[in-house]
Amino acid sequence: MEKVIGIDLGTTNSCVAVVENGSAVVIANRGGYKTTPSMVAMTEAGKRLVGHLAKRQAITNAENTIYSAKRLIGRKWNSPQVTQVSQTASYNIVEGPHGDVRIMLRDKAHSVPEISAMVLAEMKLIAEEYLGQEVSKAVVTVPAYFNDNQRQATKDAGAIAGLDVIRIINEPTAAALAYGFGRNIDRTVAVYDLGGGTFDVSILEIGASGVFKVISTAGDTFLGGEDFDARVINWLVEGFKTEHGLDLRRDRMALQRLKDASEKAKIELSAVREVEINLPFIMSSGRNEALHLQRTLSRAEFERLTADLVERTVAIMKQALDDAGLQASDVEDVVLVGGMTRMPLVERSVAEFFGREPSKGVHPDEVVAVGAGIQGAALMEGASPQQKVVLLDVTPQTLGMMVAGGLMEPLIPKDTTVPTSRTKAFTTSRDNQTAVKILVMQGEAEQASENELLGEFILTGLRRAPAGMVEIEVTFEINADGIVSVHAKDLETGKEQSITVTASSGLTKEEIAAMIDQGKNFALERKKDEEFEGLRQEAEGLVHEVERLFDKVARVVGGSDYGRDALEKAQGVIERARLAIDRRDVAALKEQVDALSRTLRMFKGVVAKG
Ligand code: AMP
């Protein structure tokens, strides 16, 4: 039976889990790590690297190493968030053909879903290697606060990676699922998720019958670990400027090293009270002299540098509670998610806020993937009743449309349980109006333009009549993935039009199809690469063995014509094997591996006899 995997597609790290024999397993990658950096790189030779391999070469190839693509997914080029990334990222981003964002890898511009697809494809491969079978279906998590554009783009990324994303679930909901599944508890729980790039908090009710109901959710898709790193970077850069009058930001390589060192210092400060940051030869003084950076950062200083970031999460927690109509003391358990929750100040602030210690026992880096895996198993064909779960999630932002005066008319308020739909009747506002344009928006601002435009569509062919005489019914629907679709109906003619609201910043169907093909090519290439690597190792091992025995064999049979002939042939095989390796010719190499094995057997026979 085909397994459905659960993927936590994180800003900094991704993680994949699957349910086996009733319990969720977090799958380790080849390096033995259970999380894989959400990083993609292209080497000078045009080789694509994903995960740890990409991270390891980030310093020397900063311009072609993409991280934090999740911060850009589903966003428009002209959004403030994109501007912020473009100012700080070590890679280049450009405007795409749909007012979307494209990321440069070497000379090629890639859409953001394409970059995320490379990470998803890697997670798929990790799962396939573990399971020993192909995987085509996944549950993928997104921050609860993701709007429709971001969800749609995440689904597109799945498709490009060759994965049918059968459900999108919210990260905090997944965490609650991992925490409460199978425990038969009846409790109000808060999930505080501070990851690499995003912050979410959700209040849920977990029912003993396996029902997970989200009551409210709040968050900020631009608040996470990287902002903490940035404070350390800033502190180092300013210090360096004061000391040497030089700006480290001007040097991409230096900046990348600073970034790594800052994250490392931050992580260490979760365990120790003081760290030393040491970056020798960080920059040249311009007078033929190398400058070093060396500073000590205390936990207290680090907490001072980042206190306002933690404060921001506290304000968002308050909002989530307000929206749920609850007091902090009503929350019976607090689940921490995301690597950043290991920071003592974060833990302290959350404990203080709720007046209780957060629950231990769920692994903050893996809990979301585990929840996704559990949901995946529940959605599998033939899932057992024990595997079933009922997730009642909510829409994180108000859905509405633009009306006269540029105002937003709310239709489905935030925190409404999904799936849901609302129907509303409208009348024409002008005489002889034959078409209406509907702008679908998401967000809380009164001014429509300040909200996220999800899409627009035009209902045409209305009967000519005086204003107010033609009635149109519009139905807005949000499915369990949080994805929006809209139908409009001319009540008189029954004429209907519907759209799945694809983001104006999204990709067209044709573009996605082309990218899926490219993704397949890459998977094939990668398989070929792996096959070659395996053969190369085998061939080199055999060559080594044959060469080791060469002199002995020569001593035994080198005197005869037959022997000399055999030795010459052996040398020929070795040469051809080396040539095949140089040319990366898999077919030829296979042949030479066979020939080398035969030669080795023969050599061994000679040595044994001789
Ligand atoms: P996530 O997106 O959940 O993988 O969270 C990753 C973020 O957590 C990154 O910003 C990491 O630097 C940060 N992180 C990981 N481990 C720790 C730690 N021990 N202390 C503080 N931050 C950490």
Side-chain angles (χ1 to χ4, degrees):
M1 197 172 50
E2 199 189 340
K3 297 261 181 198
V4 178
I5 57 174
I7 301 177
D8 168 11
L9 178 62
T11 308
T12 33
N13 291 299
S14 294
C15 184
V16 57
V18 69
V19 171
E20 277 193 313
N21 306 322
S23 54
V25 182
V26 179
I27 306 175
N29 61 24
R30 274 194 201 163
Y33 299 101
K34 288 187 172 172
T35 59
T36 298
S38 306
M39 282 182 145
V40 172
M42 187 74 83
T43 66
E44 211 174 335
K47 201 170 159 54
R48 189 201 285 178
L49 302 174
V50 185
H52 286 101
L53 292 179
K55 186 167 188 174
R56 228 167 274 149
Q57 53 87 71
I59 291 185
T60 51
N61 188 23
E63 215 165 309
N64 296 289
T65 304
I66 317 299
Y67 53 87
S68 300
K70 190 171 176 179
R71 286 194 159 189
L72 297 168
I73 203 161
R75 291 196 187 274
K76 297 195 179 75
W77 172 253
N78 58 17
S79 67
Q81 293 90 343
V82 170
T83 308
Q84 189 186 332
V85 172
S86 73
Q87 282 163 356
T88 52
S90 57
Y91 48 87
N92 290 316
I93 59 178
V94 295
E95 183 171 3
H98 316 296
D100 59 337
V101 181
R102 300 281 155 128
I103 304 176
M104 297 306 294
L105 256 184
R106 297 284 157 190
D107 302 329
K108 199 164 169 255
H110 294 266
S111 71
V112 186
E114 239 179 314
I115 300 291
S116 296
M118 297 177 194
V119 177
L120 286 174
E122 186 72 15
M123 304 319 288
K124 173 178 186 276
L125 204 79
I126 291 169
E128 286 175 342
E129 281 184 355
Y130 171 80
L131 291 168
Q133 67 186 67
E134 290 220 3
V135 171
S136 67
K137 293 195 174 88
V139 170
V140 177
T141 59
V142 296
Y145 222 62
F146 259 23
N147 63 33
D148 182 70
N149 287 343
Q150 293 165 306
R151 286 167 198 264
Q152 196 79 52
T154 303
K155 251 194 140 156
D156 291 348
I160 297 167
L163 280 172
D164 176 12
V165 179
I166 59 171
R167 183 66 56 83
I168 298 241
I169 61 172
N170 293 334
E171 288 159 10
T173 314
L177 194 52
Y179 161 80
F181 182 70
R183 284 179 58 190
N184 216 14
I185 47 175
D186 200 341
R187 237 178 260 185
T188 304
V189 175
V191 177
Y192 177 103
D193 178 356
L194 188 58
T198 56
F199 173 66
D200 269 296
V201 56
S202 289
I203 314 288
L204 295 102
E205 261 163 22
I206 303 182
S209 48
V211 176
F212 292 73
K213 184 173 172 20
V214 180
I215 315 173
S216 72
T217 174
D220 185 337
T221 49
F222 252 72
L223 176 58
E226 283 177 7
D227 300 299
F228 290 72
D229 302 350
R231 294 295 166 82
V232 181
I233 296 172
N234 234 349
W235 181 76
L236 291 171
V237 167
E238 291 309 318
F240 198 83
K241 217 181 258 169
T242 313
E243 195 176 339
H244 301 286
L246 290 170
D247 187 1
L248 286 168
R249 287 188 197 282
R250 288 204 325 261
D251 181 340
R252 281 198 172 189
M253 178 115 143
L255 198 56
Q256 185 59 44
R257 282 180 70 196
L258 276 177
K259 208 179 256 168
D260 282 351
S262 300
E263 185 185 5
K264 195 162 152 269
K266 171 190 77 177
I267 291 175
E268 280 172 12
L269 284 174
S270 291
V272 299
R273 301 210 155 260
E274 200 175 272
V275 290
E276 183 149 320
I277 301 168
N278 216 334
L279 292 166
F281 310 108
I282 187 84
M283 210 184 201
S284 157
S285 68
R287 291 181 301 274
N288 247 348
E289 157 200 32
L291 298 174
H292 316 297
L293 185 153
Q294 188 173 26
R295 288 192 79 180
T296 304
L297 178 61
S298 69
R299 187 189 285 173
E301 176 73 10
F302 176 56
E303 290 184 350
R304 202 183 56 74
L305 290 172
T306 55
D308 63 307
L309 297 174
V310 179
E311 256 325 293
R312 266 166 72 190
T313 75
V314 172
I316 294 170
M317 280 195 284
K318 282 203 186 97
Q319 190 196 322
L321 274 181
D322 279 352
D323 290 350
L326 293 175
Q327 307 284 322
S329 55
D330 295 330
V331 170
E332 293 160 283
D333 226 335
V334 184
V335 180
L336 296 181
V337 183
M340 272 315 300
T341 58
R342 295 215 179 88
M343 181 178 172
L345 175 64
V346 170
E347 223 187 308
R348 252 185 1 249
S349 306
V350 177
E352 249 165 52
F353 182 80
F354 288 106
R356 68 175 63 243
E357 287 302 313
S359 100
K360 305 273 176 215
V362 279
H363 200 299
D365 304 323
E366 298 167 8
V367 58
V368 171
V370 166
I374 292 171
Q375 170 75 94
L379 293 173
M380 232 157 51
E381 265 173 61
S384 66
Q386 297 95 292
Q387 281 179 328
K388 297 271 184 225
V389 287
V390 182
L391 287 189
L392 298 172
D393 225 315
V394 296
T395 178
Q397 296 177 26
T398 300
L399 182 73
M401 53 187 274
M402 181 148 114
V403 291
L407 295 181
M408 161 105 164
E409 156 121 21
L411 287 165
I412 301 180
K414 82 188 275 274
D415 291 334
T416 303
T417 303
V418 294
T420 185
S421 74
R422 292 287 149 88
T423 299
K424 203 173 157 64
F426 293 88
T427 51
T428 44
S429 58
R430 282 176 283 117
D431 288 346
N432 296 323
Q433 185 176 353
T434 57
V436 278
K437 182 166 162 184
I438 294 176
L439 290 176
V440 184
M441 337 271 313
Q442 212 166 21
E444 310 312 315
E446 234 171 84
Q447 286 297 323
S449 60
E450 287 168 29
N451 293 319
E452 181 87 3
L453 173 68
L454 299 185
E456 53 177 78
F457 73 120
I458 299 174
L459 185 70
T460 54
L462 303 178
R463 178 175 63 93
R464 287 177 185 278
M469 293 306 287
V470 177
E471 228 186 335
I472 308 144
E473 196 182 79
V474 183
T475 304
F476 291 72
E477 216 176 303
I478 306 180
N479 71 11
D481 292 336
I483 288 178
V484 177
S485 61
V486 182
H487 318 262
K489 193 168 169 186
D490 176 343
L491 283 184
E492 211 172 55
T493 60
K495 186 172 166 173
E496 246 184 278
Q497 282 182 23
S498 76
I499 51 161
T500 300
V501 181
T502 30
S504 42
S505 62
L507 298 167
T508 64
K509 285 216 170 64
E510 294 73 33
E511 282 174 313
I512 293 173
M515 288 167 189
I516 291 174
D517 279 347
Q518 280 168 16
K520 277 190 196 138
N521 286 344
F522 171 70
L524 273 182
E525 215 170 87
R526 174 157 172 164
K527 282 217 172 96
K528 234 166 76 191
D529 257 15
E530 276 161 16
E531 191 177 8
F532 171 78
E533 259 321 292
L535 285 168
R536 184 185 62 80
Q537 283 179 14
E538 199 180 345
E540 281 177 354
L542 287 165
V543 165
H544 179 76
E545 282 291 289
V546 169
E547 285 185 331
R548 195 173 60 83
L549 295 177
F550 205 88
D551 287 346
K552 271 191 199 153
V553 173
R555 256 181 266 128
V556 179
V557 299
S560 69
D561 280 352
Y562 159 78
R564 273 193 296 277
D565 192 40
L567 287 168
E568 223 168 86
K569 274 200 184 130
Q571 235 145 10
V573 173
I574 290 174
E575 265 163 39
R576 281 194 296 278
R578 290 202 167 123
L579 195 67
I581 290 175
D582 284 347
R583 292 190 177 151
R584 300 183 73 83
D585 183 337
V586 170
L589 191 54
K590 257 189 203 155
E591 252 172 59
Q592 298 316 316
V593 164
D594 287 344
L596 280 167
S597 312
R598 283 195 299 274
T599 308
L600 184 62
R601 261 199 310 275
M602 192 245 309
F603 270 29
K604 280 187 173 160
V606 170
V607 172
K609 278 190 210 116

